[in-house]
Every structure is written in structure tokens, then in C-alpha cells.
Amino acid sequence: MWECRYGKEPLNTRLFVLQLIKKIPVILAAAVLGAVCIGGPYFLTKVTFGPAKEYEAVTDFYIDYAIKEDGTQHTYINFATWDQLLKDDVFTDKILLYMAGERIAADEKTALPELEKAAGITKEELCGYLHATVLSDTRIVTTTVTTNDPGLTMKIEKALIPAMFDFAEEQREIAEVRILQEPAEASLVTLDVRTFRACMVGVVSFVFATVLYLCLYYALDEGIHIPETFERRYGIPMLGTIHSKELKVLAGKLLSERSALLTADKGVSPQQVMAALAEMGIEIRVGRRLEELFKMPEKGEFLLVVKAGAHNGKLIEKTLDFLGKCGITIEAALLWEADEELIRAYELPEHVFLAWHGQRGRKDQEIQTENGNRV
């Protein structure tokens, strides 16, 4: 009775694209939602409720390593060792001592609590503020002091310099230490805030997920959205929709006086459809639902009303199969509550072509007539 089942029906690319185009507002809403959901929390975390401002002081030291008795140079101190040494007692005690200054006697044997009190900072806090690195040249050591107070940052940096010289004097591997660069004041640390990128990540992610969902939804959708789909799938002529211009003409050709209205969709009211058809001058003697035929099967001719856009592909197949076994003939079908804008968009290029073809044909005819008159 029908040409192909909806499960094996090829994808209507044109209809598929038009359905996606109609969902552009949804895709745009998903883009805005993605920017807000991803970029918003990122901005709040990094900027509004982000960490306090930090100030840093960067100093570059040039290390001359000593020469051994055999004429070879001592092995250089690598990055990890410098970073560890800067946070060990060998440096932190000296830094605290220089930070204490005149408030405490220059005695390295001073108790740590007194030293911390005089310096105004604990050793644990100091270790968190210090960092050292070695770039490509192993003789250049870069130290960085980072705190939330520019004054404290410079105070630690000023104490770090003499501590570095003291450390160099105590190490036989180091011959001399020179300062290559010393900051005059602490500089504000610029946060790496990438709110725009976060928003773009949200936009791309949400749009991709939305488009993927819509593609899967429409690719797997077995509903009837345009009359052409029903006719191609089931091989039954369709009158169109209630607003189709050809509805009355096709109804007069396909329906008989004995035709009754039948629907299997629960969302369709037979009485409402019959009233709408009556306004168009199409009289239907009776309207029934499919479950009524289950109780009292009867032979006859019917106009099948199909709800547009519903997931009713399998239901229509079962309905046609049941009616065929009961000897009930479906003369035609009507697409109810269809998306008229979608149908017009689907048929528009064909109408434009026909209109253009008709105008060209009339022009050709006028030219032929004019030439004939000349002859």
C-alpha cells in the first residue's frame, strides 16, 4: 500500500536544511547561553571574585663559577636547585636578618621567632613569596619576589640582594656575583584574563551541541511536515493542507459522496477538521477516530487526516495496514496543522522557476507573433 517505510526513507536534504534554518533563533540563543554559562563564571572567578592584586620584583644575577685546580669550571647550579636553595634556611634566615635591620642585633644565632617578629614576616610566608629560575644561560639566575603589598615586595627584594652576595661568598663553586638588573619599584602583576576566549569556548560548545542535537532530531524524525513526504512514503494522494489553494479542486476529484473523515492522531479533532473543511465548501458526512473502527470495522472510503510534525510515522503505517486488512479504502489524506511557512519555503524555488518559465514563454510567444505579423 505504501512505497517505503519511514525507517528506510532517504533523507530529504532540502527539507532538512530548511528545518535547521528555521531553528536559527534557537542556535543564536544557544550561543548567548554558552557565552553566559562559560564566560560568566570565568569572569567572576578571574576578575570580580578573583585573587587580590599581586606585585613583583624581578632581579637578575650573573654568576661567575670558580675554576678548579685542574683548570675546569665547577658544575653550575641548575634551575631546580636554585629555586630550592632560595627557600631553604641558607637564604631565608639571611633575608629575615636583613629585613629586621636595626631592630635586632646582627647575630645569625638569634631565635627564629624573634627574627620573624622583627622582620614582620614568618619564614613560611617568605618561602611562598620567593621564586628563582635559570634561563638558557646557566650563569644568569633570575629571582622573583611576589606579594600583595608593593612595599613588602621591595623590602624582601632589598634583603634578598645582600643575602645572595653572602651566599656566594660561602660557596667555593661561585667566584663572583654581579647584578644585571635590579627593579626600582615593584610592578603590578598582570593577570592572564581571557574572558573573550572563555566566551568563545562557550559559544562554540553550546552551538555545536545544539546543531548536533537538531541534526540528529531531524534526521531521525519520522513525522510528516510536507505533503510530498506523505505521498512519497505511502503512495496515497494528499489534498495538501487546509490552506492549500488546490484543496477544493483535489477534494472534488478524489473524494466521493460516501467519503468519511478518519484520524488516528489523538491531537486531531474530527469535528474541528470537518468544520474547517465546511468553511472551504467541502462537505464530509461523518468523522471518526481510528479506535472507533477497532470496535466496529466497516468498509468504506475515507479521508485520512494526519497531524503535521508529530512523531506518527509508525502509527500511520499501522493505521494503513489495519485499514487495508479491514477492506477500508483511503482515497486521500489531509495534512492538519502544518507549518505553512515551511511548506512555502520548500516549494518557493519551484514556483519562482515556473513563474520565470511562464514569463519567458509568453515573451517568446509575443516575439513569434510579432515576427509573424511582420511577415
Side-chain angles (χ1 to χ4, degrees):
M1 181 177 293
W2 51 86
E3 296 183 358
C4 67
R5 296 182 180 273
Y6 73 88
K8 298 181 179 180
E9 183 180 19
L11 178 65
N12 189 332
T13 306
R14 177 178 179 77
L15 178 61
F16 176 75
V17 173
L18 288 174
Q19 288 175 320
L20 288 181
I21 291 176
K22 287 185 67 67
K23 292 299 182 180
I24 287 180
V26 176
I27 297 175
L28 294 178
V32 174
L33 183 63
V36 172
C37 292
I38 303 297
Y42 179 87
F43 181 81
L44 293 176
T45 303
K46 292 292 185 178
V47 180
T48 306
F49 302 106
K53 293 182 179 180
E54 292 184 333
Y55 299 86
E56 67 178 11
V58 181
T59 307
D60 292 333
F61 296 94
Y62 188 88
I63 310 297
D64 275 330
Y65 290 98
I67 303 299
K68 297 180 181 180
E69 295 179 356
D70 58 1
T72 59
Q73 182 177 295
H74 281 279
T75 305
Y76 66 89
I77 303 176
N78 60 25
F79 151 69
T81 304
W82 272 116
D83 192 60
Q84 183 61 43
L85 286 173
L86 201 62
K87 300 174 183 179
D88 286 343
D89 295 344
V90 66
F91 261 99
T92 55
D93 289 348
K94 294 180 183 298
I95 294 174
L96 290 173
L97 189 62
Y98 281 111
M99 289 180 66
E102 298 179 354
R103 286 176 291 177
I104 192 169
D107 183 2
E108 296 185 1
K109 296 182 180 181
T110 304
L112 180 60
E114 296 180 8
L115 194 59
E116 292 177 337
K117 183 178 180 180
I121 186 176
T122 65
K123 180 182 290 189
E124 183 178 357
E125 292 174 336
L126 179 61
C127 291
Y129 298 149
L130 298 174
H131 176 68
T133 185
V134 176
L135 300 179
S136 58
D137 192 335
T138 57
R139 294 168 296 181
I140 298 177
V141 178
T142 301
T143 61
T144 304
V145 180
T146 307
T147 73
N148 301 120
D149 181 6
L152 178 60
T153 299
M154 291 306 298
K155 185 177 180 180
I156 297 175
E157 192 272 340
K158 294 300 181 183
L160 173 61
I161 293 176
M164 176 65 79
F165 285 108
D166 291 347
F167 173 78
E169 291 179 359
E170 298 172 357
Q171 307 301 316
R172 64 177 184 177
E173 294 88 353
I174 299 176
E176 183 185 4
V177 173
R178 299 194 306 271
I179 299 177
L180 296 180
Q181 174 180 290
E182 180 182 359
E185 60 182 7
S187 59
L188 179 64
V189 177
T190 303
L191 296 177
D192 186 16
V193 180
R194 302 182 181 183
T195 305
F196 178 77
R197 291 189 179 183
C199 291
M200 288 299 99
V201 170
V203 169
V204 173
S205 300
F206 276 60
V207 169
F208 176 78
T210 302
V211 172
L212 179 61
Y213 170 79
L214 291 175
C215 289
L216 292 175
Y217 179 85
Y218 287 125
L220 300 176
D221 182 20
E222 79 278 12
I224 307 297
H225 298 275
I226 58 175
E228 178 183 322
T229 302
F230 184 89
E231 292 182 343
R232 181 188 302 173
R233 184 183 298 176
Y234 305 110
I236 297 176
M238 176 165 275
L239 305 181
T241 69
I242 197 67
H243 300 289
S244 298
K245 296 180 180 180
E246 62 273 15
L247 175 63
K248 191 171 183 179
V249 176
L250 291 178
K253 295 292 184 179
L254 300 176
L255 301 181
S256 63
E257 297 180 356
R258 298 192 308 155
S259 298
L261 187 145
L262 176 66
T263 179
D265 292 297
K266 296 182 179 180
V268 178
S269 171
Q271 291 73 24
Q272 186 178 359
V273 178
M274 292 174 62
L277 290 174
E279 293 180 1
M280 302 295 296
I282 303 173
E283 297 294 335
I284 301 295
R285 61 184 179 87
V286 65
R288 293 185 179 181
R289 292 186 179 276
L290 182 62
E291 53 265 27
E292 297 176 0
L293 296 182
F294 287 158
K295 300 177 181 178
M296 295 183 301
E298 63 178 61
K299 295 184 178 181
E301 299 173 345
F302 287 86
L303 169 66
L304 181 65
V305 180
V306 178
K307 183 175 176 59
H311 297 282
N312 53 2
K314 191 62 180 178
L315 176 62
I316 295 174
E317 287 187 359
K318 289 184 176 180
T319 300
L320 295 177
D321 184 55
F322 170 79
L323 296 178
K325 293 177 180 178
C326 294
I328 299 175
T329 303
I330 298 297
E331 297 177 303
L334 176 68
L335 192 60
W336 183 248
E337 295 182 352
D339 187 344
E340 299 293 340
E341 292 184 358
L342 178 64
I343 295 176
R344 285 196 297 270
Y346 184 83
E347 298 176 347
L348 179 60
E350 180 181 359
H351 290 172
V352 172
F353 173 76
L354 291 177
W356 176 81
H357 180 73
Q359 292 177 358
R360 184 175 179 179
R362 286 195 297 271
K363 289 182 180 180
D364 293 342
Q365 185 177 4
E366 291 175 359
I367 294 174
Q368 293 176 359
T369 304
E370 184 178 353
N371 293 336
N373 293 334
R374 289 178 180 177
V375 173

